[in-house]
Amino acid sequence: MSMWLTNQQLQHLQRAYQKRVECPVPTQVISSGECFPPPQTQQQAQVESLIQEEAGLYAGRQGIPRQTYLRSSSGMAAAFLAMNKIHGEVYNVDTAEVEDSEAAQTRKDETKNQFIFDVHTHHVHDDYSWEGQLWIRDAARGNNQSKIPWNPELVEQELDLTYYKFDYYLKDMFFDSDTTVALLSTSPSVDPYKILLSDDQMVATRNLVNRLSGTRRMLAHGVIWPSVPEYLEAMDRAATELKVDSWKGYTIGDVLGVEPTFDKPWRMDDEDLTYPTYEKAHKYGVRNICVHKGVLPIDYESIPNWHYATLDDLGKAAQDWPDLNFHIYHAGLKMWRDARGVSETFEQTGRLPWIDEMAAIPEKYGVSNVYADIGLSFGALAITHPRIAAAMLGTLIKGLGASHVLWGTDSIWAGSPQWQIEALRRIEIPADLQDKHDLEPLGPADGPVKNAIFGINAASQYGIELDSEGHPIQNYKDDELSRLKAEYLDAGNQRDNLFWGWIQNQK
């Protein structure tokens, strides 16, 4: 989780898990720390209210506690039904799922064997102790200007980072969601104290989970930072000893810190500075280059290096290095200053700034080695402007091809990724947008387009063998991790609907 929030901004934020209203999906945008989240919109407040009304009604009819209902498949369906009522018909959901637990289970069983490969996940190491990540929780206990606790329940609680660490990662990713395989990432800093995970620690998590499961459930990044010389040297060991699965970098520079410096930026097409990094990636056969683009703070023009987060350096790099694969994290989405204005502009013109630029690269540069990871971008839009979320997918597919869109969630900052999985399974591009902007339908939850995005595309990038129907050859269904998950569910455990990132305080 990069931390671009200032102390002044943090005074207006709280941890999402401190919100007293429980919902199966977030009802306002959650920030991982890379942008200042917008306030809850009137429409999102209406969705939240509808979810609570339906939960009270149908929990009673099903004879279960309200909380149990909200954490069930019926509760998840209720959330998407509420969004349809407020935002228009975007999600495929039936009222029977909301009312009847058996109908909800039947719907869930239709995708129980779906292969899901999340290429964008995070946790922090066990000894992580940077207090910058706990500032807001301490303030919520009463350590603030007013000296009044925002949440009295936290006063006696010990401050810790448990929710960002490995145990919760394993639970959120593999027990509370349908994720099959995950790629673990990090954010670099010149200050070792703030680094979420080193290359060694990412690989240690990968190896631990894979030993536990007996299958290849996890992969790990190695960090690249062309403008910091020691990272080029570190690639040798990362590739040969640690055997990292791909590389991750931030062109905008140092992104960690309550007031980050953004030092040491770099361009993807810098022949002198960056191409030696690509040479090593090519030499060692670790050819997936994952780069953070977009997702800028609301005041991004105040960052001296903000233009390094744009996409104007991608085309030439992809053109010059056809044997490498460039995975653009967040699909280059610029976090909107005025989401409503952007939505209205899109409805009138069909323009999605920066997403359009991303989608145009293959045709403009004659390349086929550019991929869009939709981590965070899809999730944030899916709960704010679902029509834009659908249009973003359609635009990326139209420009890059359905085979070049990768599933990522930026979890676990927003808790279990199950709500994002359900959003993609259910979303469809509204007919009027298909006609007006020449976009193809996304199709059913387990159709060819969504199966490709969920896992088939990433499998081809990371050497996971699939059969002729797109299912992994490796027997994940019967491995030790699946057995443990079955025990967890049989014991009555449920998704906890907790979200770990930042939201704006409620007024």
Side-chain angles (χ1 to χ4, degrees), residues 69-89:
Y69 178 85
L70 285 168
R71 299 178 181 187
S72 71
S73 296
S74 287
M76 182 70 77
F80 288 101
L81 186 64
M83 283 195 278
N84 275 354
K85 290 179 179 179
I86 301 302
H87 295 288
E89 296 290 327

Side-chain angles (χ1 to χ4, degrees), residues 34 41 110 144 147 213 228 272 296 312 315 382 385 426 450 479 503:
E34 292 173 335
T41 66
E110 292 174 359
N144 53 57
K147 303 301 179 184
S213 64
V228 180
D272 295 327
L296 292 171
D312 66 349
H385 294 282
R426 295 175 181 276
K450 291 180 180 177
D479 69 4
I503 60 173

Side-chain angles (χ1 to χ4, degrees), residues 128-196:
Y128 195 78
S129 59
W130 178 38
E131 293 181 357
Q133 295 292 352
L134 287 170
W135 180 91
I136 198 67
R137 191 175 182 89
D138 193 30
R141 299 195 314 170
N143 187 14
N144 53 57
Q145 289 181 335
S146 68
K147 303 301 179 184
I148 298 174
W150 304 337
N151 183 354
E153 294 180 4
L154 297 177
V155 173
E156 300 301 324
Q157 274 191 16
E158 182 181 357
L159 286 175
D160 63 58
L161 288 154
T162 298
Y163 297 134
Y164 300 118
K165 295 184 178 180
F166 174 76
D167 287 350
Y168 261 87
Y169 177 84
L170 190 69
K171 171 185 176 295
D172 284 348
M173 292 304 307
F174 295 110
F175 289 2
D176 286 344
S177 90
D178 294 335
T179 302
T180 314
V181 174
L183 171 60
L184 186 59
S185 191
T186 190
S187 298
S189 175
V190 295
D191 184 352
Y193 181 58
K194 296 177 180 177
I195 296 173
L196 310 182

Side-chain angles (χ1 to χ4, degrees), residues 143-424:
N143 187 14
N144 53 57
Q145 289 181 335
S146 68
K147 303 301 179 184
I148 298 174
W150 304 337
N151 183 354
E153 294 180 4
L154 297 177
V155 173
E156 300 301 324
Q157 274 191 16
E158 182 181 357
L159 286 175
D160 63 58
L161 288 154
T162 298
Y163 297 134
Y164 300 118
K165 295 184 178 180
F166 174 76
D167 287 350
Y168 261 87
Y169 177 84
L170 190 69
K171 171 185 176 295
D172 284 348
M173 292 304 307
F174 295 110
F175 289 2
D176 286 344
S177 90
D178 294 335
T179 302
T180 314
V181 174
L183 171 60
L184 186 59
S185 191
T186 190
S187 298
S189 175
V190 295
D191 184 352
Y193 181 58
K194 296 177 180 177
I195 296 173
L196 310 182
L197 293 167
S198 66
D199 287 0
D200 287 84
Q201 289 163 335
M202 285 186 284
V203 167
T205 290
R206 178 196 67 185
N207 294 347
L208 175 60
V209 172
N210 291 345
R211 284 197 303 271
L212 172 67
S213 64
T215 54
R216 191 185 181 200
R217 286 282 195 153
M218 284 208 65
L219 296 85
H221 271 146
V223 174
I224 56 171
W225 200 344
S227 53
V228 180
E230 54 263 36
Y231 279 87
L232 182 63
E233 298 173 6
M235 289 180 71
D236 297 311
R237 178 173 173 270
T240 59
E241 295 182 28
L242 300 180
K243 300 187 184 303
V244 298
D245 300 285
S246 57
W247 309 102
K248 172 70 179 296
Y250 284 72
T251 53
I252 200 169
D254 194 341
V255 296
L256 289 178
V258 174
E259 295 188 18
T261 62
F262 300 101
D263 287 342
K264 309 294 185 182
W266 51 280
R267 285 183 60 90
M268 294 180 67
D269 60 359
D270 189 321
E271 296 184 14
D272 295 327
L273 185 66
T274 305
Y275 282 20
T277 295
Y278 299 156
E279 289 172 1
K280 283 204 175 183
H282 185 275
K283 171 185 175 181
Y284 291 119
V286 183
R287 299 185 178 183
N288 294 337
I289 312 294
C290 306
V291 180
H292 172 107
K293 287 287 189 178
V295 187
L296 292 171
I298 191 169
D299 58 345
Y300 69 90
E301 287 100 334
S302 66
I303 300 172
N305 302 329
W306 72 265
H307 55 281
Y308 284 89
T310 68
L311 296 158
D312 66 349
D313 57 348
L314 172 57
K316 182 180 184 301
Q319 199 174 55
D320 289 349
W321 294 88
D323 291 336
L324 299 181
N325 301 310
F326 294 93
H327 297 180
I328 303 306
Y329 274 30
H330 311 295
L333 177 73
K334 180 180 72 172
M335 295 304 284
W336 320 119
R337 290 170 178 244
D338 176 13
R340 179 179 298 177
V342 169
S343 179
E344 291 173 354
T345 299
F346 170 76
E347 296 289 355
Q348 295 171 2
T349 68
R351 287 282 300 152
L352 286 175
W354 296 26
I355 294 296
D356 288 340
E357 284 73 13
M358 176 75 188
I361 284 173
E363 181 176 2
K364 182 177 180 179
Y365 290 91
V367 297
S368 60
N369 58 338
V370 171
Y371 296 75
D373 151 64
I374 57 175
L376 177 62
S377 300
F378 174 72
L381 290 174
I383 61 167
T384 310
H385 294 282
R387 284 170 60 88
I388 302 300
M392 179 188 75
L393 289 171
T395 300
L396 292 171
I397 290 169
K398 183 178 179 180
L400 301 176
S403 62
H404 283 59
V405 179
L406 304 173
W407 177 245
T409 64
D410 212 3
S411 297
I412 60 171
W413 309 133
S416 165
Q418 188 61 28
W419 63 274
Q420 297 185 60
I421 292 170
E422 287 296 327
L424 183 62

Side-chain angles (χ1 to χ4, degrees), residues 431-447:
D432 66 304
L433 294 184
Q434 293 183 36
D435 294 339
K436 187 175 182 179
H437 303 297
D438 190 28
L439 302 176
E440 294 294 326
L442 301 174
D446 59 349

